[in-house]
Amino acid sequence: MITRPELTEPEPTQPDGSSEAATYQRLRAHLDTLKLGTAAEALTGVLDTARDQQWTPTATLEHLLGLEVVQAEARRLAGRLRFACLPHSWTLAEFDFAAQPGVDEKLVRELAALRFLDDAGNVLFVGPPGTGKTMLARLARAAVNAGHRVYFTTAADLAKRCRKAALEGRWATAMRFYCGPRLLVIDEFAYSRTAPDPDANAALFEVINRRYLKSSTIVTSHAGVASWGDRLADPMLAAALLDRLLHRGIVVAIDGPSYRMRAHQQRSDQLRRALTGPGQP
């Protein structure tokens, strides 16, 4: 009968009288091996602070690894922002609700809590050009900050990329790309007035249909939903799109002054005052 040797726990290695400097070097090497670069770089300062403030070993370790966690989160956020392709770094805190009375501030701040993502809900921002629809799509930035995968595109660019993918035999790949993000923002929906492209319409519908009840979509449009049938030159398609978007959707109607026109007026006033001098009308 063959007996198997008993397995025993390895004895912990002892420093064997090695100096504190050697112990420090081994600790630094461990951090480098584990690719904890931020902790490795901060090690000397953290140990000095721990000695001066008499931190416990647990507190020292927690502080050291906390620095690594903060840096790791910053890298992940930067990666999500690169993928999202947001047109600006705006945040909701920068939106001037007082200057745009046509926006329901309470509703927008409720949406900023991102609970609609849990229900795969959608948001439609509808209003005239320049009223802040795209800026309000900065809800996407809040979603990125919260750790969600987000992608921003225009309806025209989405259609163009899908058309190209279809010609190159990559239709399924394109659909997986647009269906992957937790939140997809489609800007300038139903923007074109002339010669709507049936292939573009089909691509938009396919993306919305595949995301239906699975992931959330934000759509901005300066055309009221009642006119989408005419804009797309396909009332049945428009009805099918709206059916899916509005099933778990919220429409945020914006009816107020144009941000661009207001900025233009302010620049004109400044120039006029500069030319006429102080105290002149």
Side-chain angles (χ1 to χ4, degrees), residues 210-256:
R210 291 188 182 223
R211 294 180 61 82
Y212 176 54
L213 300 181
K214 297 176 182 176
S215 303
S216 296
T217 304
I218 290 178
V219 171
T220 76
S221 175
H222 75 266
V225 295
S227 67
W228 280 15
D230 293 334
R231 290 275 183 161
L232 300 175
D234 191 335
M236 292 297 293
L237 177 71
L241 281 167
L242 286 170
D243 180 63
R244 287 157 177 77
L245 288 170
L246 297 180
H247 177 205
R248 292 183 180 174
I250 298 173
V251 177
V252 181
I254 306 174
D255 183 15

Side-chain angles (χ1 to χ4, degrees), residues 17-227:
S18 59
S19 67
E20 183 176 350
T23 302
Y24 169 85
Q25 292 301 329
R26 286 198 300 273
L27 177 55
R28 177 67 183 260
H30 293 335
L31 294 174
D32 288 334
T33 300
L34 294 173
K35 301 186 184 304
L36 302 178
T38 299
E41 291 298 323
L43 181 59
T44 299
V46 170
L47 292 178
D48 289 343
T49 303
R51 181 185 61 248
D52 295 341
Q53 299 188 12
Q54 298 184 341
W55 288 355
T56 65
T58 302
T60 304
L61 183 61
E62 189 278 333
H63 184 83
L64 186 67
L65 295 183
L67 297 175
E68 188 68 42
V69 168
V70 169
Q71 186 61 33
E73 286 295 336
R75 288 194 298 267
R76 283 193 282 267
L77 174 60
R80 292 194 302 271
L81 285 172
R82 283 194 300 271
F83 176 82
C85 293
L86 301 179
H88 301 281
S89 59
W90 295 321
T91 64
L92 191 61
E94 298 169 294
F95 189 84
D96 190 354
F97 286 98
Q100 188 52 281
V103 176
D104 186 338
E105 179 177 357
K106 183 177 180 181
L107 174 59
V108 172
R109 294 199 180 281
E110 173 64 25
L111 291 172
L114 303 176
R115 282 191 285 270
F116 70 94
L117 296 180
D118 297 332
D119 300 324
N122 307 308
V123 183
L124 280 68
F125 289 108
V126 181
T131 53
K133 300 182 300 300
T134 300
M135 287 191 287
L136 280 176
R138 65 185 72 196
L139 291 174
R141 176 58 188 265
V144 171
N145 290 346
H148 301 295
R149 200 159 178 254
V150 176
Y151 188 72
F152 183 101
T153 183
T154 63
D157 189 65
L158 184 153
K160 181 178 73 173
R161 289 174 179 269
C162 287
R163 187 187 303 111
K164 182 180 179 182
L167 292 174
E168 296 175 351
R170 298 183 294 102
W171 177 262
T173 301
M175 289 299 105
R176 284 195 297 272
F177 175 82
Y178 285 113
C179 293
R182 181 78 180 276
L183 175 62
L184 176 68
V185 181
I186 304 177
D187 196 20
E188 299 177 351
F189 200 87
Y191 185 81
S192 178
R193 286 180 176 273
T194 59
D197 184 349
D199 292 336
N201 290 347
L204 289 167
F205 174 78
E206 189 66 20
V207 170
I208 296 298
N209 186 51
R210 291 188 182 223
R211 294 180 61 82
Y212 176 54
L213 300 181
K214 297 176 182 176
S215 303
S216 296
T217 304
I218 290 178
V219 171
T220 76
S221 175
H222 75 266
V225 295
S227 67

